[in-house]
Amino acid sequence: MAKRMSTFKQAVQLIEQADTCLVVAHLNPDGDTLGSALALYHGLYLLRKHTVRLLCHDPVPEIYRFLPGSTAVETEQQPITVYDLALVCDMSQLNRAGRHEPLIRAARRIVQIDHHMPQEVFADVRLVDQSAAATAEIAYRLLRALRVPFTPEIATCLLTGIVTDTFSFKFPNTTPRTLRIAAHLQSCGASISEINEQVFETRSFSAVKLLGLALSTLKRTEDGRIAWAIIPRSAFEEAGASEEETEGIVNFVRSIHGVQVAMLLRESPNRKIRVSLRSRGAINVALIAQQFGGGGHENAAGCTLEMSLSEAEHALLHEVQKWMACSTSTNPSA
Ligand code: 5GP
Ligand code: MN
């Protein structure tokens, strides 16, 4: 029996055959989706594709505008045209592409490059590896398979994805492979210290003000295992801050001694409640987020709730407590 072609080979073949391509990052973009999409965008340019569009529902947040090529990101809805190929980065559900979802669905072929817990099957070729610390690790392997030269621009984009999703190599998703890839990218001209400086050490005045307002709402359960903060619309207004400036706040909540699940609830302009969930140890917050139509990773996930802030607070707390009770009863050593 003929050996099945590896998914990377299948993806390479589709890319080699394509003339017109879309590269798509997810809404509320983070460093990984943008770094991966931009690296692939640069790669397709080097492969001399006729047309390459780089799409994201939301504009590139200020802290990621240093990424080479970030001005190429288009947010407006495009007329439906049949592209040969769509490369979809860091998404386990196609609704994470926001207004660009119909254009992706119309493409002749879809390749998914992702490291989330699988949810929806929407791609012809699925480069999905949950053991990858970042989607950028998988984009790196794909670009190697395509024999694209690792320019400093490509290396910087990929390394930013890795640095942001590992929280500078501090999260347990960091593996020896992650470090080997990071070392190679650094040798190709990317700089870990510069990326850290741009992403983690440079904040706007309004973002720090918002952090203060968010932390002033901090609460925890009596046993100290669940802690959360909320950001009502009024706090965004008082700080003069936008949604993108909430990035990283949940990590302060997670860092509290004894906390196993941390939550950040924020009220969007459309009054929906965006939620970030983080956990330490065995509590799988992706499964909790999925109860509310969201998703993510075992230790980092998110969802959107259509209810008031206080209703969302109660609903989430109830669900998290339920999962915690469950994980305690099924794990006698806990
Ligand atoms: P964050 O809290 O930083 O927005 O997201 C944490 C992780 O969960 C990221 O990997 C992000 O892609 C994923 N995530 C956040 N919100 C959603 C959602 O609504 N749906 C899905 N499928 N994943 C989400
Ligand atoms: Mn990611």
Side-chain angles (χ1 to χ4, degrees):
M1 203 169 77
K3 200 165 166 278
R4 256 189 76 219
M5 212 197 289
S6 82
T7 48
F8 277 93
K9 279 197 181 142
Q10 290 173 34
V12 166
Q13 203 170 66
L14 287 182
I15 292 169
E16 281 172 354
Q17 288 164 355
D19 251 347
T20 59
C21 307
L22 297 171
V23 185
V24 192
H26 64 68
L27 43 73
N28 299 321
D30 57 20
D32 190 28
T33 196
L34 288 169
S36 304
L38 275 161
L40 291 168
Y41 174 80
H42 290 300
L44 292 174
Y45 179 82
L46 293 174
L47 292 170
R48 301 187 182 282
K49 296 296 165 193
H50 183 267
T51 309
V52 188
R53 313 287 293 267
L54 178 54
L55 305 176
C56 184
H57 180 90
D58 295 300
V60 177
E62 183 69 37
I63 57 168
Y64 297 121
R65 300 221 180 118
F66 75 96
L67 285 172
S70 66
T71 53
V73 173
E74 299 177 85
T75 55
E76 319 81 64
Q77 180 136 24
Q78 307 289 318
I80 295 290
T81 314
V82 180
Y83 283 80
D84 291 336
L85 183 65
L87 299 179
V88 179
C89 301
D90 204 36
M91 290 177 227
S92 55
Q93 290 175 298
L94 217 42
N95 64 10
R96 300 274 293 150
R99 70 173 69 88
H100 305 301
E101 181 179 347
L103 193 63
I104 301 171
R105 292 207 187 271
R108 283 198 183 86
R109 290 277 186 266
I110 304 176
V111 174
Q112 176 188 14
I113 302 119
D114 188 35
H115 68 138
H116 290 97
M117 182 178 283
Q119 282 181 280
E120 181 193 359
V121 178
F122 58 80
D124 299 279
V125 175
R126 305 173 67 222
L127 304 179
V128 180
D129 179 0
Q130 277 192 84
S131 76
T135 290
E137 274 191 26
I138 309 167
Y140 168 91
R141 285 159 66 191
L142 179 57
L143 288 166
R144 282 197 73 146
L146 283 161
R147 297 177 191 285
V148 166
F150 280 74
T151 60
E153 289 76 23
I154 288 179
T156 298
C157 293
L158 291 174
L159 191 55
T160 299
I162 292 172
V163 166
T164 53
D165 264 27
T166 60
F167 200 36
S168 289
F169 310 103
K170 284 183 275 197
F171 283 160
N173 58 357
T174 308
T175 64
R177 180 181 62 193
T178 313
L179 296 174
R180 277 195 296 271
I181 294 175
H184 180 218
L185 293 172
Q186 176 116 325
S187 73
C188 293
S191 160
I192 291 178
S193 61
E194 266 173 41
I195 293 169
N196 269 301
E197 190 58 33
Q198 294 282 352
V199 178
F200 297 117
E201 303 300 333
T202 313
R203 291 194 180 91
S204 62
F205 183 82
S206 50
V208 179
K209 188 117 177 99
L210 189 71
L211 170 67
L213 294 172
L215 293 183
S216 71
T217 72
L218 194 61
K219 289 189 204 164
R220 63 176 169 180
T221 49
E222 224 162 280
D223 61 9
R225 295 202 295 162
I226 309 171
W228 66 98
I230 58 173
I231 313 183
R233 246 4 273 162
S234 57
F236 282 105
E237 281 151 22
E238 187 180 337
S242 59
E243 169 79 23
E244 69 182 53
E245 290 173 307
T246 61
E247 184 154 327
I249 295 180
V250 70
N251 292 322
F252 287 90
V253 183
R254 182 189 173 274
S255 71
I256 299 166
H257 181 71
V259 164
Q260 290 175 8
V261 174
M263 308 191 284
L264 178 70
L265 285 72
R266 46 215 193 260
E267 200 175 5
S268 302
N270 59 13
R271 300 280 153 186
K272 290 183 184 170
I273 310 301
R274 276 287 310 151
V275 182
S276 286
L277 294 161
R278 298 291 184 271
S279 68
R280 223 196 289 267
I283 315 261
N284 186 336
V285 284
L287 294 175
I288 298 174
Q290 281 183 16
Q291 303 304 309
F292 298 98
H297 308 283
E298 209 170 307
N299 297 126
C303 55
T304 302
L305 274 62
E306 295 196 34
M307 51 182 87
S308 73
L309 253 180
S310 62
E311 284 167 345
E313 200 175 341
H314 284 110
L316 283 159
L317 198 57
H318 180 76
E319 197 62 33
V320 174
Q321 279 174 324
K322 210 171 81 190
W323 283 82
M324 280 185 138
C326 228
S327 75
T328 311
S329 62
T330 53
N331 180 2
S333 65

